[in-house]
């Protein structure tokens, strides 16, 4: 019985790739150094899978930034602003597309489906001259083969690539991206031919858009694409992989009828209804890659249940055509539990990181082949029973409080217009008030202080003194720039979700459970294993300390319940909304404590609200209802004069704008500049927004420093569609990933632009 892994984490068990990338970007190491680290990581991953017994091992899932950008490079689809003149695409052009450079901005970045992973959005149009410009897929296949590992090269499928792209600037929005299919398929043919020549016997195309709601012409594109590729694919086993949701019946029918394709991969963890389609009609003689091991979460697989499912599938497709697989790439989970020496032993027994999931896949494949490892299966059963019966999972008081939420929609008593009037009387802000999103640069010294405090190498007094000094520096800097509503810079926080999770009950933390978010950016999601509550206040000390340093309003900074949920590894033994309501009640306690202690502006970030939106339209209304309700629970009890902000970033918000309005925040700051001001189009189309709003005026994920004139131009575009009295001026997102040498001039230019516009507006009256 064969086994397969869809994809694997690329950062390394101790974030080796992250540090190599940042060293290269900072000019401290060479391209050769970066390539050496990368090659070592790939070798260890391939050999680990081979040694475990995995038959179908993926290659070309490694990336220096993301696989969509790799595909853009493969196709030579480089926007003209990067000055590429043909030939093999090197690091300069590749990283300029991802991060921008001193003279031109980066390409748009957005979320990969409903995950916290991001990708660089291709910019396409009728005039793009496609060419085979990156041979990475073939090079990595040959690299693995030289190590004695025969891999399955993985490519983003041509149809999903186009459907996830956008029309370039200056191209009509109505332009059909699928009209480019005939132009990119010749390059795919070149890649396939080279892989065949190199000795590949299998190839995997990831076509995750097949799980979406697709119009008939988009579905037809899959038929056209793979018919066109059929002769080139001849002689290869061809796997099309789907993931993240059920595949709709019409898409299933199209997929399983594709010419030249003899294997289909399905997510049977998030796509349980797909099982019914397989049972109803699966094409004879084709391979089924059954994704029964969860690639999105860190809980140990229920091996007995998975084994039972696989036995059923075996009866449908045949023993020699069933392949045990992960539900999706393991990119979305942490790397290896072996590195977790400090994690609570009982909780650790409930978990499986990527390395353990590889073992689970192999154990299931061996069991189906009649070589069941009773030791592995009995240990797994014992761990599942321990988790189910553990008293630390359940808190009756929390469950009772969450149950009592039913029957109220938890709206503030006064409408937003009246609240904004009351808040303005108290805050006395100018028009176009300026603020930042929360975090300031996290310097090496700051990280060292936090690290040493955690390791008990510095006293609490010394730690508080160091953090206090950092806050003082950030407050002074904002006052010097004349920013209107200040933040304390979050120097005590390594991560916006981890910080709160550490102070809430029901959460556990790994030491090395890092997951890639984009580029070199990694996050360490908390593990929600039980009922959630707040034992004591979490931010009041630092917020009131910061407020004491200035006469200007100081924002209390909190992470919202939906974002904490979506950026955590969430327990899978109860519905997600129940966990979210528990978190909302904990944040509500914190909001009310901040207000009691004199904080009049409180930001409750919901950066990940859009991210959790189900991929299928039929499931979206239910999610938005409980997600928006959870946010309202957090602040329903504050006074009219307390201004509630929220923040969202790096997703497409236009399709949920009514839900954003329904959140009933007083002010929302929202990413705008990197997505080429896509957000503003919703207001041009007539949506009325009555609360305060701050569409970001510059991209903080690029080292590029925007000029005063450029920011003023952005603000003018906003003023064309938004009322002057509701518009705020702020960056796209928090500043923690930037250096002070970038932040200082950017913020100065931002404030100067706001002042310039205020003067112009005053003289126009």
């Amino acid at each position: 019985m064969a086994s397969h892994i869809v994809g694997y984490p690329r950062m390394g068990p101790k974030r080796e790739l992250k540090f190599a990338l940042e060293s290269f970007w900072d000019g401290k190491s060479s391209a050769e150094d970066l390539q050496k680290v990368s090659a070592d990581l790939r070798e260890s991953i391939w050999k680990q899978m081979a040694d475990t017994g995995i038959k179908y091992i993926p290659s070309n899932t490694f990336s220096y930034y993301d696989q969509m950008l790799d595909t853009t490079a493969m196709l030579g689809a480089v926007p003209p602003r990067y000055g590429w003149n043909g030939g093999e695409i090197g690091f300069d052009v590749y990283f300029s597309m991802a991060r921008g450079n001193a003279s031109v901005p980066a390409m748009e970045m957005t979320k990969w489906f409903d995950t916290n992973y991001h990708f660089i959005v291709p910019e396409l149009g009728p005039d793009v001259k496609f060419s085979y410009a990156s041979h990475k897929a073939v090079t990595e296949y040959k690299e693995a083969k030289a190590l004695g590992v025969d891999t399955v090269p993985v490519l983003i499928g041509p149809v999903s690539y186009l459907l996830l792209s956008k029309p370039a600037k200056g191209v009509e929005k109505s332009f059909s991206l699928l009209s480019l299919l005939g132009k990119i398929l010749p390059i795919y043919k070149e890649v396939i031919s080279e892989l065949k020549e190199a000795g590949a016997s299998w190839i995997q195309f990831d076509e995750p858009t097949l799980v979406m709601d697709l119009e008939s012409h988009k579905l037809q594109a899959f038929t056209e694409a793979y018919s066109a590729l059929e002769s080139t694919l001849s002689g290869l086993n061809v796997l099309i992989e789907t993931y993240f949701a059920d595949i709709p019946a019409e898409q299933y029918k199209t997929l399983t009828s594709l010419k030249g394709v003899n294997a289909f991969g399905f997510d049977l963890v998030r796509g349980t209804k797909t099982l019914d389609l397989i049972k109803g009609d699966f094409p004879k003689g084709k391979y089924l890659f059954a994704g029964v091991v969860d690639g999105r979460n860190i809980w140990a697989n229920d091996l007995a249940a998975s084994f039972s499912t696989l036995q059923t599938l075996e009866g449908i497709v045949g023993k020699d055509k069933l392949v045990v697989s992960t539900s999706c790439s393991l990119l979305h989970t942490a790397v290896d539990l072996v590195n977790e020496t400090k994690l609570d032993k009982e909780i650790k027994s409930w978990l499986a990181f990527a390395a353990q999931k590889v073992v689970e896949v192999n154990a299931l494949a061996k069991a189906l082949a009649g070589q069941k490892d009773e030791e592995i299966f009995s240990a797994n059963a014992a761990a599942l029973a321990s988790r189910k019966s553990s008293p630390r999972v359940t808190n009756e008081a929390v469950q009772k409080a969450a149950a009592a939420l039913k029957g109220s929609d938890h709206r503030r008593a006064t409408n937003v217009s009246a609240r904004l009037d009351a808040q303005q009387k108290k805050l006395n802000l100018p028009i176009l008030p300026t603020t930042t999103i929360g975090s300031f640069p996290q310097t090496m010294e700051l990280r060292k202080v936090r690290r040493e405090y955690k390791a008990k190498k510095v006293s609490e007094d010394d730690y508080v003194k160091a953090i206090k000094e950092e806050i003082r520096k950030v407050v002074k800097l904002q006052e010097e720039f004349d920013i209107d509503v200040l933040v304390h810079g979050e120097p005590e926080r390594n991560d916006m979700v981890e910080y709160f999770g550490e102070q809430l009950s029901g959460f556990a933390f790994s030491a090395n459970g890092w997951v890639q978010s984009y580029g070199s950016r990694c996050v360490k999601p908390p593990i929600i294993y039980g009922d959630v509550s707040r034992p004591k206040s979490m931010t009041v000390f630092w917020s009131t300390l910061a407020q004491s340093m200035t006469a200007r309003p100081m924002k209390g900074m909190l992470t919202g319940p939906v974002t904490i949920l979506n950026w955590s590894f969430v327990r899978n033994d109860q519905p997600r909304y129940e966990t979210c309501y528990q978190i909302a009640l904990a944040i509500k306690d914190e909001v009310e404590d901040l207000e009691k202690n004199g904080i009049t502006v409180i930001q409750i970030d919901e950066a990940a609200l859009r991210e959790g939106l189900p991929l299928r339209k039929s499931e979206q209304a239910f999610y938005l209802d409980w997600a928006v309700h959870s946010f309202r629970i957090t602040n329903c009890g504050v006074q009219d004069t307390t201004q509630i902000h929220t923040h969202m970033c790096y997703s497409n918000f236009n399709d949920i704008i009514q839900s954003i309005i329904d959140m009933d925040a007083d002010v929302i700051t929202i990413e705008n500049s990197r997505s080429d001001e896509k957000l503003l189009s919703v207001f041009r189309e007539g949506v009325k927004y009555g609360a305060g709003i701050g569409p970001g005026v510059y991209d903080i994920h690029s080292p590029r420093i925007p000029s005063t004139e450029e920011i003023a131009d952005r603000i003018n575009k906003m003023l064309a569609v938004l009322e002057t009295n509701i518009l705020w001026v702020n960056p796209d997102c928090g500043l923690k990933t930037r250096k002070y040498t970038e932040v200082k001039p950017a913020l100065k230019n931002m404030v100067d632009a706001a002042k310039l516009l205020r003067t112009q507006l005053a003289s126009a009256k």
Side-chain angles (χ1 to χ4, degrees), residues 142-156:
K142 289 178 177 176
E143 183 185 325
K145 197 170 183 186
L147 294 166
V149 183
D150 189 23
T151 59
V152 178
V154 179
L155 300 174
I156 298 289

Side-chain angles (χ1 to χ4, degrees), residues 304-320:
S306 293
F307 184 56
S308 175
T309 299
L310 290 164
Q311 285 179 309
T312 302
L313 293 171
E314 187 180 60
I316 297 165
V317 304
K319 190 181 276 287
D320 61 333

Side-chain angles (χ1 to χ4, degrees), residues 288-302:
L288 170 61
F289 282 62
V292 293
V293 172
D294 193 352
R296 290 276 298 269
N297 216 328
I298 43 69
W299 302 106
N301 188 270
D302 184 337

